[in-house]
Amino acid sequence: MYTQERTAMANLVVGGPVAVNSYDNAIVAALVENRPVMLVHAFNGGYLRPVELKEDSHDKGVKLSTALDPATKDAQGHLWHITPAGFFGQRPLYFIESAAGQVSPTPSGAGQAAAGRGDDGVPKPQRRRITVHQEAPKSTADTVQVGLPDKVGDKWRGKNGAPEDTQLWVVTVTPWGGITFVPITHPDAILGFKDYAVTADSEVRLTYNWGGDFTGTVINTFYPRLPNEWDVPYHHVFT
């Protein structure tokens, strides 16, 4: 529960000049507490999910769904972690990681290195991340995949030898309480949809940021929603 003790977060700035309000539970939970959230589209209320939910799938993309079926819910295919991943200048960077197909590694034995562990000493789970094609957005092929850094295709790996290059995103909070995602490898682009069409089962693409400003456009905006907030209609704001 968010109480008055969290009012200091009202001045938290993430990726741009718009402050995150302390009362917006989902944004704070996603960016500060790394709790899984649904990424609900600003225009039609659909949510992002990996095309393939299995943990051994690394060459499939992301799509927009408008109905939350039991199989997707059971596999946590509707949930994403927005995981901190360092800084780009003054802007924090994040991975967009799927909760579907998450693998919990086996704890290492006594005396072994604790690399990759959290502050509490527990090994961090392996999560598939949204990865951007090197030639996006000019490529007409699929421009995003959901996979581990060492498992995605060659064109979805970083050019500089760091496989994570193509998985780092600047997260920008919009004035209307949504968020947009800009990949650091393609700063003039933004997470959007194939043919700019926001329909059921739309394939997610990296598209040019025609809006031209730090917020992108409505078609590229998502509301992070905690799972218990799924039934709240947000699309009416723009009608």
Side-chain angles (χ1 to χ4, degrees):
M1 193 68 188
Y2 293 89
T3 65
Q4 293 297 321
E5 291 150 4
R6 292 189 179 263
T7 52
M9 289 187 185
N11 296 320
L12 174 68
V13 175
V14 182
V18 179
V20 177
N21 294 318
S22 62
Y23 55 80
D24 194 331
N25 294 4
I27 291 180
V28 173
L31 301 179
V32 178
E33 300 176 359
N34 197 27
R35 290 172 57 188
V37 293
M38 300 181 73
L39 295 176
V40 180
H41 191 262
F43 185 73
N44 73 350
Y47 67 95
L48 294 189
R49 56 150 287 182
V51 170
E52 178 56 65
L53 303 177
K54 297 178 182 178
E55 65 186 51
D56 56 356
S57 174
H58 303 279
D59 60 351
K60 304 297 181 183
V62 186
K63 68 177 183 178
L64 185 74
S65 294
T66 51
L68 182 56
D69 60 274
T72 303
K73 189 172 183 179
D74 290 344
Q76 294 192 312
H78 60 308
L79 297 179
W80 300 86
H81 294 267
I82 305 176
T83 307
F87 288 85
F88 181 67
Q90 297 297 315
R91 293 189 169 196
L93 298 173
Y94 295 87
F95 297 124
I96 312 172
E97 299 181 321
S98 173
Q102 178 173 299
V103 179
S104 296
T106 305
S108 59
Q112 290 184 327
R117 289 173 176 263
D119 294 337
D120 56 1
V122 178
K124 295 179 181 179
Q126 282 192 312
R127 301 188 187 119
R128 296 177 303 154
R129 302 165 178 167
I130 297 184
T131 306
V132 173
H133 195 281
Q134 289 179 4
E135 297 176 0
K138 63 182 179 182
S139 171
T140 57
D142 294 348
T143 56
V144 300
Q145 286 186 357
V146 178
L148 296 176
D150 58 339
K151 298 290 181 65
V152 295
D154 289 339
K155 283 293 186 176
W156 281 266
R157 298 183 186 180
K159 295 181 179 180
N160 301 323
E164 294 84 1
D165 284 356
T166 52
Q167 298 181 328
L168 292 170
W169 301 82
V170 175
V171 179
T172 302
V173 182
T174 67
W176 46 83
I179 55 177
T180 58
F181 298 101
V182 177
I184 65 166
T185 51
H186 305 282
D188 59 342
I190 206 163
L191 199 65
F193 296 95
K194 182 180 179 181
D195 302 323
Y196 311 103
V198 187
T199 58
D201 293 324
S202 284
E203 297 174 67
V204 172
R205 293 284 191 272
L206 208 63
T207 59
Y208 286 104
N209 181 17
W210 301 115
D213 61 8
F214 71 93
T215 62
T217 58
V218 171
I219 201 172
N220 297 317
T221 300
F222 305 92
Y223 288 109
R225 294 296 89 187
L226 295 170
N228 62 322
E229 297 177 322
W230 168 246
D231 292 328
V232 178
Y234 284 86
H235 62 276
H236 72 277
V237 174
F238 302 102
T239 58

